[in-house]
Every structure is written in C-alpha cells, then in structure tokens.
C-alpha cells in the first residue's frame, strides 16, 4: 500500500510517496510562489503529486490515500484560515479530489503532521503518547494521545506554543502576552541575544555575529562555547524558559516521549541535557518509576510530509 | 449492571453503588480517622462497600466492578505515593480483592475520577473531549481525550494546576515557582485578599471578614458586590489568573467542554462570565466556528465517587 503526503508551505510545496514502513519511494517539489490564487496552488499540488507517483514508478491507482499538511486552522477537509497563504475557507479536500480523483483525502495542520511523522516514523518509534515541539520561528507543537492526534473540538488543538508562561509578559504574535513562543522560539532567543549584546559591548558575541553576518540562534550557544559569561547567561535563561514549558507539558500529559525539533535542536545534548535536569527537578511526578523521555527530533523537514502521508492511520 | 465507586479522602471514605445510568442506589461513609495503617483503612473500605451494597438491596454477586479514587499517584493497581494518607507503594487493588472477592478493581487518582464523573454523568453529558478543573485548596484537574482519561506514561497525567504561568513567580507546594495553583486556587485567592486588605485598611473587606470570622474565598467577591474598589481589583486580578490557565488549556487541547468546579465555582456566572470574556479575547483559534464551552461543574462532591464507579469504562 502506498500513500501520498503533501507539505504545503509558504515557500515550497513538497509531495512524497511512502510505503507502509514509512519509507520514501519518491519526493517532488515546486515553489509555492506566493501570491497566487488557491486554484493555482492546488493545480501545482496536483502536478507535484503526479510527478512523485511517476518518479516512484507507480500509477495513481496504486495510491490508497492522500494527506495534506497546511499552515493555519483546518476543519473537516476545509482550510478555515491560513494567514500566510491568504486562505479563507478553502475546500482543500474537494479541490484535491477534483484534480487527482476520488481518493480518501485527509487535511491537517502542518505542525500536527510533523508531530505525527515523528511519533510513528521518527523518534517516537510508534509510541502512543507523544508530544513534539519545534523551536523555530515560533514554537510549534503536536500532541498524540493513545496514537491519535489531539485536535480538539475545532481541529485547532496542540497550540502549546501559545500557553502563557509569564502573565503580562512579552507580547506574542498571537495577541496574548507572555506565551511560551515569545520566550522559547528561535526568534525569542535572537531577541534575548541582541538585548544582552546591547547591554554588554565587551561580549564576544559581537565578534561572532560580525563573522556570521547576523545575530542568529547559534550566536549565544557559540559564545558559551567560547566561555563568554554574557553568552552563558543568555543560554541559561533561554533553556530555563524552554524547560518551563516542557515541564508544564510533562505535568499535564506525561507523554512517553517528548521530542524537540527545529533549528535550535541542532545544539543536541548541549540543549537537551540541561532541559532534562530542569524537568527532573521540577516535574510533579517525582515518585513515579516511569518518566517522560526527552529526545531530539529525528526526521527534520521530512517529518511533515511523512506525517501527512500517514494521516489515514489517525483519522 | 451495578458497580461500586469508592472515594478515599483524608477525612472520609465514601462508597456508592450506581447503575448503568450513573444513578445512586446507595451511598455509605465512614471517617478515614488518620493516622491508621493501610490494613485498617482497607478493612473500613470493605465495610462501607458492603454497607452500600446492602443498603441498595443488592448482594456482592450483583456487582460487576469496583473503582477506587485516591489522592496521590497511582500505577497499575498500586498507590505509589499518597502523602496525606502516609501510603508508599500500597497494592490497593489486591487489598480490595482480598477483602471483597475477585472483582475487576480499578484504581485512579481522585481528581481524575472527579473529571470522569463530570464528563460522563455531569456537565460533560458524555462528550469525549473534556477538561475539568477544580478551584479548591489547590487547582485539581483531569483531562479526557476521546472518552479516555489522559493519565500518561506513569498515571500522573492531568496535573494542570502545576503548569507554570509566571516563571519565577509565587512558590507552590509542589516545589516549582509560579504554578497556576499558586495563583488560581482558593488558597491563593485568600492570600491575595489578605495582602490587599493589609495594604488597604479602608476596604470594606475588613468588616466582611470580621462578620464571617475569617478571610475566605468569598470575602473579595462579597466586597465586590458591595462596590468596594479594592475588592473589585482583587477579583479582577484573580479571574485574570484563572483565565490565563483556562486559555492555556483551550489552546493546547481545545476540549468540547471545560468545566470549573470547587468552592470558588459557587460564584457561578460572576466567575464564569469574565473568564469566558478573557478566553474569547485570548484564545488562538479565533477563526474556528466551534469553540470550547466553559461551564460550571454539576456534581459537586459526588463527582469523585461516580467517576470511580465508572472507571471500568475507560480502563
């Protein structure tokens, strides 16, 4: 049995054909090339799907289902609203069927697809209770309970980046103040790094940023490796914020595995070891033998397209 | 089919027999009378169960399962640790079977039982995606996804009161700082009320507390009803803290219904209306037609014993 997964992003449309063991047979992509109409975008979605099927040496009749991961909120085959694609109540499942045939089509938020991909085909190794968080431009997340995505009453569940960890704190893009995302995203780390650099002209981070041409999510970590005290303080504080949200999720859900992905997770154990230490000290379940394992995401950018391709398992 | 539910509390042991429609046939109780040995407590548990069955006009052979709700952490029929009962790795299911016979016995945390009771027999009306929070001495909570309790890898899930909403904030009994419980429990409201009274000797709350003989969770609400500006500010700030955690749970889980119980919920719409207003303004899912309903718990102290009696449904 083969299925198609589609990852519809603001920059690229990726389609992949995978088998039952979550292995890629083929992958095709095309630029999203915004701004375009939904019709134009779905025409291209159909084209990359056909290309991937052809590259896999298959026919469309070999395909048993199609899954699409999209930014924004989704409801029953419709993309309700996706700001960066300019989508407002787009009947995505129908538009795919019109172009590719009468397949079972599943639509889901892209962060949820990525969580699903990691849970089944990545670091989750098929465990049923799993949380994935992504430390990128924002803080994405997906929650899996008993092998199913927690999408809630309106398919908008799993927005754990928008849990407030500092009442009346930093403004968040969502309109709240003090969201975890405003403290634990790569964007937040860059802001925290810039603020510390401004206060400390003596910090080696000025030199590192000049070399790299910008302040990035790596600047503070690189400064820490060079023993710069200001960089050490930035990283410590950032990790404390990440760990606060991770501990919140552990106390609320006690997943078997919680995985951390996104650009910042390239720091590997430098990031994970102190997070585990914080969670161990602060979790509520200190007397339990079994505890949540905190691991690094394994699939990188492929998580979303694999998750989309296996939506049929959880819908 | 009839089942027994047991609510083991620090003050009383309650047992009830209910039918398939969650109706009480009989209820019996005895003081927990701490400190006592686990053996003595389980002897009394067996006695109140037999009493409830007799009062219901039934025999033990009419009972199809027994459920026990207990404070503390639970793992596979064992009470791992319950501080206020002095329990450390107590084989609760076996101890019940030894005394009452070879019934299916289910053990679960008491806050989770209360959530289950409300979800199936109370304000949840059987909806599958449900969160219950209790604003009492602490902030208790239980999470139900797809009709099942979210207990996680170690049966310690659902501790949403111990999600930090103010990093480095007020100390919590759990050891963390800034937990939701430290801001939104009845205990926290009393502390917030006392602090405001100390700062404002002119507040009418001094008079109200003197009449009642103490500062309680009602003092600030009563002061607000008497148009006392200090009381209004205390209630506003308290409701903002409650709503921050409620919005966090809505963003993460988007339950169909979120119910609020505990002593403070006796304020009814005075409490619920402004909470709904905060959540509406701050939730992430502003474009979704379907939204979480925020309602008052219906079953009061009976939620736990009913939930214990229907554990067989979700285990």
């Amino acid at each position: 049995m083969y299925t198609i997964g589609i990852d519809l992003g603001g920059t690229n449309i990726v389609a992949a054909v995978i088998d039952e063991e979550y292995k890629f047979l083929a992958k095709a992509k095309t630029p999203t090339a915004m701004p375009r109409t939904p019709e134009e975008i779905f025409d291209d979605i159909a084209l990359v799907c056909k290309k991937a099927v052809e590259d896999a040496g298959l026919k469309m009749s070999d395909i048993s289902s199609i899954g699409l991961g999209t930014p924004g909120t989704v409801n029953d085959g419709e993309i309700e609203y996706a700001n960066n694609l300019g989508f407002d109540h787009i009947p995505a499942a129908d538009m795919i069927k019109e172009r590719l045939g009468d397949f079972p089509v599943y639509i889901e938020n892209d962060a949820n697809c990525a969580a699903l991909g990691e849970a089944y085909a990545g670091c989750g190794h098929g465990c049923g209770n799993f949380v994935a968080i992504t430390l990128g431009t924002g803080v994405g997340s997906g929650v899996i309970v008993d092998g199913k995505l927690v999408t809630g009453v309106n398919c908008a569940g799993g927005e754990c980046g928008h849990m407030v960890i500092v009442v009346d704190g930093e403004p968040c893009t969502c309109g709240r103040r003090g969201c975890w995302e405003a403290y634990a995203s790569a964007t937040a780390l860059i802001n925290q790094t810039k603020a510390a650099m401004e206060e400390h002209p003596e910090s080696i981070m000025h030199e590192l940023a000049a070399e790299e041409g910008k302040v990035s999510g790596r600047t503070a970590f690189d400064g820490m490796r060079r023993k710069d005290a200001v960089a050490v303080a930035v990283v410590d504080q950032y990790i404390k914020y990440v760990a606060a949200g991770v501990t919140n999720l552990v106390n609320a859900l006690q997943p078997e595995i919680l995985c951390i992905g996104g650009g910042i997770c390239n720091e590997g154990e430098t990031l994970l070891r102190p997070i585990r230490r914080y969670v161990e000290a602060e979790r509520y379940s200190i007397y339990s033998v079994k505890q949540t394992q905190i691991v690094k995401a394994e699939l990188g950018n492929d998580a979303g397209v694999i998750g989309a391709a296996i939506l049929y398992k959880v819908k």
Side-chain angles (χ1 to χ4, degrees), chain A:
Chain A
M1 198 185 68
Y2 306 103
T3 60
I4 297 177
I6 307 157
D7 186 3
L8 170 56
T11 312
N12 286 305
I13 301 165
V14 180
V17 178
I18 68 163
D19 64 16
E20 281 175 68
E21 284 164 343
Y22 320 126
K23 297 274 172 287
F24 284 121
L25 273 75
K27 204 157 68 162
K29 92 177 176 183
T30 190
T32 316
M34 295 300 296
R36 289 199 295 170
T37 65
E39 284 70 23
E40 289 169 326
I41 290 173
F42 278 84
D43 286 347
D44 266 5
I45 285 175
L47 284 179
V48 285
C49 287
K50 285 176 184 162
K51 172 89 167 57
V53 170
E54 199 187 311
D55 290 353
L58 299 173
K59 299 187 195 112
M60 282 304 291
S61 56
D62 296 318
I63 300 300
S64 58
S65 75
I66 300 173
L68 169 74
T70 171
T73 54
V74 169
N75 188 12
D76 203 18
E78 188 184 77
I79 302 175
E80 282 196 323
Y81 188 77
N83 181 43
N84 56 351
L85 296 171
F87 282 6
D88 190 356
H89 291 89
I90 299 300
D94 289 344
M95 290 173 81
I96 290 174
K97 287 181 191 180
E98 276 164 23
R99 286 159 176 82
L100 291 172
D102 194 23
F103 294 92
V105 174
Y106 308 99
I107 316 285
E108 188 47 76
N109 171 270
D110 51 4
N112 283 347
C113 286
L116 200 61
E118 285 289 351
Y120 279 80
C123 64
H125 303 293
C127 88
N129 292 298
F130 183 83
V131 171
I133 64 163
T134 313
L135 308 175
T137 311
V139 173
S141 73
V143 177
I144 286 152
V145 170
D146 260 349
K148 305 270 178 190
L149 271 169
V150 175
T151 55
V153 67
N154 50 12
C155 301
E159 288 292 350
C160 302
H162 299 285
M163 300 176 77
V164 162
I165 62 162
V166 182
V167 166
D168 290 331
E170 297 286 332
C172 181
T173 53
C174 78
R176 296 187 88 183
R177 295 187 76 98
C179 286
W180 190 25
E181 171 161 313
Y183 291 86
S185 62
T187 314
L189 172 58
I190 291 168
N191 291 339
Q192 291 154 15
T193 305
K194 284 179 179 167
M197 287 167 65
E198 201 158 310
E199 234 179 277
H200 295 278
E202 80 285 7
S203 166
I204 202 171
M205 293 192 289
H206 290 278
E207 204 179 296
L208 297 168
E211 276 168 27
E212 202 186 340
K214 65 179 180 190
V215 177
S216 77
R218 285 195 53 172
T219 311
F221 281 97
D222 284 343
M224 180 185 74
R225 279 183 277 270
R226 300 274 288 270
K227 318 266 186 236
D228 180 75
V230 180
V232 168
V234 170
V235 170
D236 279 355
Q237 185 62 49
Y238 173 73
I239 286 179
K240 189 175 163 182
Y241 288 135
V242 174
V246 169
T247 309
N248 282 356
L249 292 174
V250 168
N251 282 351
L253 301 166
Q254 300 283 351
E256 198 172 329
I257 295 175
L258 182 146
C259 98
I260 303 182
I264 304 291
C265 88
N266 293 330
E267 294 294 336
E269 287 298 309
T270 309
L271 177 76
L272 293 177
R273 209 174 303 117
I275 290 177
R276 288 193 201 103
R277 219 160 32 222
Y278 270 111
V279 174
E280 226 161 277
E282 299 224 338
R283 69 190 172 204
Y284 190 72
S285 52
I286 47 171
Y287 299 102
S288 301
V289 178
K290 292 185 210 160
Q291 297 289 354
T292 301
Q293 287 177 56
I294 296 168
V295 303
K296 190 180 156 187
E298 284 177 6
L299 302 179
N301 291 333
D302 288 335
V305 78
I306 295 178
I310 58 178
L311 279 171
Y312 71 93
K313 279 184 176 282
V314 298
K315 289 287 187 170

